[in-house]
Amino acid sequence: MSEKTKGQLLSEKLFYNSENAFKKLDAEEIAKADAYCEGYKKFLDSSKTEREAVISTEKMAREHGFVPYTFGMKVKAGDKLFYNNRGKSIFLFRIGSEPLTEGVRIAAAHIDSPRLDLKPRPLYEDSEQGFLKTHYYGGVKKYQWTAVPLALHGRVILASGDTVDIVIGEDENDPVLYINDLPPHLAQAQYQKTLSLAIEGESLNLLVGSRPYDDEEASEKIKLNILSILNEKYGITEADLISAELCAVPASKARDAGLDRSMIASYGHDDRVCAYPSVTAILDDASAGKHTVMVILADKEETGSDGNTGLKCSLLSDIIAELSNTFGVSENTVRANSKCLSADVNVAYDPNFPEVFEKRNTAFINHGVVLSKYTGARGKSGTSDASAEFLGYVRKLFDDNGVIWQIAELGKVDQGGGGTVAAYIAKRNIDVIDLGVPVISMHAPVEVIAKLDVYMTHKAVLALFAE
């Protein structure tokens, strides 16, 4: 082979090129990524709602020696703690050996995903079919949720005050729920509508029964039979559905995707694909370094992060203030010196829809974890724009620790965009940048990601924690 020319050598030195990770990793590292993702698939299957994700995370944390934290609790270097916020968000933190004034190293992800929530009074019958009315949660393409098997997950608070947790449709022996759609033979008028109007929100009704209760004198026999089944198994009455959080999610398990098994197809990658690597990073003993480290798994990101389980809540500031009081330091100093990876997904380039991407500034699957200096919409509306200094710090951190990474925006400038929790972290005077996994078909009932990108996200968060 001839020697490289001066120009070729200079190009290698000066040009930036994002490359497929398979070109950079040896077989051993690729095998590690595949093995790592087996745990991730189990997490996905056990964590289809934010409540279930908190349960799974707390179980993992306890198994690694983490104990519950309460406000006012005295802590010391080496302590491993978690704070379960109302069963719907959770904070994990390790107390480091360095003074807290050096700041906290934070990874913040969210554990809610687009879904169909039940309305407060959902159950009705019409034309001898029983239905549950829904209100979609987060940004969904409504037409994608019809004619697919769905499972019911959630919690009901009974009139007695007792709690009942429900999962129907995940076991192979369970029934599934379903949303009706028109057959093509009768869909001529539907074909003329735009995709956003072809299926309306009020038609996303879950088909739950067709067998009448065996009593000629009873009214609404289909509805009565469904309530009878729920009452017999769970003690639920119709009024109990008012004090319930029940939702429909795809009744499918995480599966390897592609004939080469390089990808995973599943519901809920956004954003559990960043939540799981963040949790495994803080559980890794390598994260027990100098700095205090923290993982935040938040709720409500898909609807704007409002509420007392979303990241607009003061809880992050409250916990930092409590820890600062314990060590007798200024919470303002702690926050000013803290660093955060806002761990949320980005859109993967899809050659089937090239018109919405600007190829030089988009993410590709298998090119590693994605850094996004900013997100937002159009003119960077609603974004936190990381400083050049902080981006430079993160670049060097990743390069020094063998993290394969890429830089990307979220589609073409005028095509739309999206937001993350980064803005709410930055509001607390904490340096923050978006980081995550590129996703194919984001917000669809089944999304696809590449295994190598999940593993690199774990390595990225671990690099921050082990600094």
Side-chain angles (χ1 to χ4, degrees):
M1 182 181 293
S2 61
E3 291 186 4
K4 293 181 180 179
T5 67
K6 181 180 178 180
Q8 288 174 321
L9 293 171
L10 190 61
S11 297
E12 290 179 0
K13 178 181 178 181
L14 298 182
F15 287 178
Y16 166 75
N17 290 300
S18 169
E19 287 189 324
N20 191 302
F22 282 103
K23 296 180 180 179
K24 300 180 178 181
L25 300 177
D26 58 25
E28 183 179 356
E29 193 78 352
I30 293 170
K32 284 182 181 179
D34 290 343
Y36 176 83
C37 285
E38 291 305 304
Y40 171 54
K41 288 189 292 184
K42 291 178 182 177
F43 180 80
L44 282 170
D45 291 341
S46 66
S47 309
K48 288 193 173 182
T49 68
E50 66 278 4
R51 286 188 183 275
E52 293 170 355
V54 167
I55 291 170
S56 298
T57 300
E58 181 176 324
K59 181 176 183 292
M60 293 166 64
R62 287 181 180 273
E63 289 172 350
H64 284 80
F66 282 66
V67 298
Y69 173 78
T70 57
F71 286 116
M73 180 176 174
K74 298 300 180 183
V75 300
K76 63 185 184 303
D79 283 352
K80 300 186 289 186
L81 307 156
F82 69 86
Y83 186 89
N84 184 329
N85 180 23
R86 298 171 171 86
K88 300 177 74 173
S89 71
I90 190 168
F91 289 64
L92 309 180
F93 41 106
R94 285 179 181 257
I95 308 300
S97 58
E98 289 287 303
L100 196 62
T101 50
E102 295 294 313
V104 182
R105 302 300 181 263
I106 303 168
H110 69 90
I111 46 177
D112 60 320
S113 296
R115 60 179 188 251
L116 303 178
D117 287 344
L118 296 197
K119 291 189 175 186
R121 297 185 61 187
L123 184 60
Y124 73 101
E125 71 171 77
D126 190 346
S127 305
E128 300 181 352
Q129 295 180 46
F131 296 95
L132 291 168
K133 294 201 70 66
T134 71
H135 191 135
Y136 59 90
Y137 174 98
V140 302
K141 288 182 170 180
K142 296 186 287 290
Y143 70 87
Q144 293 180 329
W145 290 76
T146 64
V148 296
L150 298 170
L152 191 67
H153 288 238
R155 171 167 290 183
V156 182
I157 307 301
L158 305 181
S160 64
D162 292 339
T163 296
V164 177
D165 289 321
I166 290 176
V167 177
I168 301 172
E170 297 294 351
D171 187 276
E172 62 180 14
N173 295 314
D174 283 351
V176 296
L177 309 183
Y178 184 83
I179 296 175
N180 304 352
D181 195 5
L182 283 171
H185 317 69
L186 302 175
Q188 295 308 307
Q190 187 184 53
Y191 286 151
Q192 305 309 310
K193 297 180 180 180
T194 62
L195 284 177
S196 63
L197 297 177
I199 300 293
E200 296 182 355
E202 291 297 346
S203 66
L204 293 174
N205 302 312
L206 299 166
L207 181 62
V208 294
S210 65
R211 181 174 296 175
Y213 189 82
D214 188 13
D215 185 335
E216 287 300 321
E217 302 303 318
S219 62
E220 298 183 278
K221 296 181 180 64
I222 307 293
K223 175 180 175 179
L224 180 60
N225 195 42
I226 296 302
L227 282 172
S228 175
I229 292 168
L230 291 174
N231 184 260
E232 181 179 348
K233 186 167 185 179
Y234 302 107
I236 293 172
T237 69
E238 185 175 15
D240 293 325
L241 297 176
I242 295 172
S243 53
E245 291 179 352
L246 294 168
C247 65
V249 298
S252 58
K253 295 187 181 300
R255 300 282 298 275
D256 284 350
L259 299 182
D260 56 5
R261 295 184 176 270
S262 62
M263 300 167 288
I264 300 172
S266 177
Y267 166 70
H269 284 312
D270 181 9
D271 182 37
R272 296 177 190 111
V273 75
C274 298
Y276 181 76
S278 300
V279 171
T280 56
I282 200 170
L283 299 183
D284 193 316
D285 285 337
S287 68
K290 299 181 298 183
H291 295 102
T292 295
V293 298
M294 178 183 293
V295 166
I296 306 168
L297 301 187
D299 183 23
K300 296 292 186 288
E301 191 277 342
E302 297 294 357
T303 56
S305 295
D306 295 296
N308 56 12
T309 55
L311 257 173
K312 286 183 182 177
C313 173
S314 67
L315 184 54
L316 170 58
S317 296
D318 295 343
I319 290 177
I320 289 177
E322 287 286 317
L323 295 177
S324 299
N325 289 338
T326 295
F327 291 104
V329 299
S330 165
E331 64 180 279
N332 297 332
T333 301
V334 175
R335 285 188 280 106
N337 291 328
S338 293
K339 296 178 172 64
C340 178
L341 299 176
S342 173
D344 205 343
V345 298
N346 205 314
V347 176
Y349 180 78
D350 190 333
N352 296 293
F353 306 99
E355 64 277 5
V356 300
F357 298 96
E358 196 269 282
K359 204 168 183 179
R360 289 175 57 83
N361 289 283
T362 196
F364 291 83
I365 62 169
N366 290 314
H367 282 225
V369 67
V370 185
L371 284 172
S372 299
K373 188 175 185 295
Y374 47 81
T375 53
R378 298 176 177 86
K380 297 187 180 181
S381 174
T383 188
S384 166
D385 196 334
S387 69
E389 290 85 355
F390 190 52
L391 181 52
Y393 158 81
V394 173
R395 277 183 58 198
K396 185 175 187 308
L397 179 71
F398 289 175
D399 289 343
D400 290 347
N401 286 276
V403 177
I404 297 175
W405 60 276
Q406 56 185 311
I407 192 80
E409 294 187 350
L410 205 159
K412 284 185 175 178
V413 173
D414 289 331
Q415 287 293 333
T420 68
V421 299
Y424 316 123
I425 302 289
K427 188 176 181 180
R428 294 169 166 87
N429 192 30
I430 296 172
D431 275 323
V432 59
I433 190 168
D434 284 296
L435 163 144
V437 173
V439 177
I440 295 171
S441 303
M442 187 191 297
H443 281 212
V446 176
E447 304 163 315
V448 172
I449 55 86
K451 293 179 179 179
L452 285 181
D453 298 331
V454 186
Y455 182 61
M456 285 300 151
T457 304
H458 165 79
K459 290 189 68 171
V461 178
L462 187 58
L464 177 71
F465 287 172
E467 181 199 18

